[in-house]
Amino acid sequence: MPRVKIGPAIPDRKTIDVEIARLRDLDAGALRARCHTVFRRPPPPHLPRHLLFRVLAYRHQADHLGDLDAESQRLLDRSESPEKAGQRAVDLGRRTADLRPGTVLGREWNGQMQRVAVLAGGFAWNGKTYSSLSKVASAITGTRWNGPKFFGLRDKPSKGASP
């Protein structure tokens, strides 16, 4: 008889919400005790009640719905502040722009708006199809350009930001 592996049950959102509501009703002492149970060490004594609640609520959701992926975790671990983490996420998004067919890119050049349509097999501009965005940028400007940079898909990183 073949073996069947049964995966974990799909988490019930209602149960998660009920547990978080229970956490919300606990006082600081009870939240500290719960933190000690969940993390197997006492929480830092300076943490206020609202942060204890948030830490426990996050852990409960992550345990049932899944935690951050490894790339997001590394991004946060490397950041000194939430602002820098946000800026790194924006910079990462700029480097990895995902263009889907049907997207229209726009850029003003020499006082005229230039629009490029993203196709399944290339890019359309002025009734002609190009194989790369850089070729479109070269056709518009008459010079050699990096296409994603020309259309603002890859901005220069701000000073002090690392790639």
Side-chain angles (χ1 to χ4, degrees):
M1 181 165 193
R3 291 184 179 241
V4 176
K5 184 176 179 183
I6 299 174
I10 297 172
D12 179 20
R13 186 68 206 189
K14 205 168 223 167
T15 346
I16 294 170
D17 292 343
V18 167
E19 181 60 29
I20 290 174
R22 282 189 198 135
L23 287 174
R24 188 170 280 123
D25 293 337
L26 298 177
D27 65 348
L31 287 172
R32 286 186 189 291
R34 181 73 63 98
C35 275
H36 190 96
T37 304
V38 169
F39 296 108
R40 297 187 178 140
R41 64 176 185 237
H46 66 278
L47 279 185
R49 183 195 171 283
H50 73 278
L51 289 180
L52 291 168
F53 165 73
R54 288 176 186 225
V55 166
L56 285 168
Y58 175 82
R59 179 53 33 218
H60 185 71
Q61 289 174 336
D63 288 346
H64 287 83
L65 300 173
D67 210 344
L68 291 173
D69 62 349
E71 185 178 354
S72 298
Q73 194 73 300
R74 280 192 302 273
L75 176 84
L76 291 171
D77 288 343
R78 288 192 317 251
S79 301
E80 296 104 44
S81 70
E83 293 79 18
K84 287 195 177 191
Q87 187 56 49
R88 282 187 182 199
V90 167
D91 291 343
L92 180 65
R94 285 184 180 152
R95 285 198 310 269
T96 58
D98 183 24
L99 297 178
R100 297 179 184 190
T103 302
V104 176
L105 303 171
R107 162 78 195 266
E108 187 175 333
W109 181 256
N110 287 340
Q112 287 192 329
M113 189 62 169
Q114 305 295 329
R115 288 183 178 81
V116 176
V118 179
L119 307 173
F123 302 90
W125 175 73
N126 273 2
K128 195 171 175 191
T129 303
Y130 297 84
S131 60
S132 75
L133 206 48
S134 295
K135 289 183 180 177
V136 176
S138 294
I140 291 171
T141 64
T143 61
R144 212 170 146 191
W145 269 86
N146 174 296
K149 189 172 179 180
F150 179 78
F151 286 98
L153 301 174
R154 188 180 324 155
D155 293 337
K156 259 190 354 193
S158 59
K159 289 188 178 187
S162 61

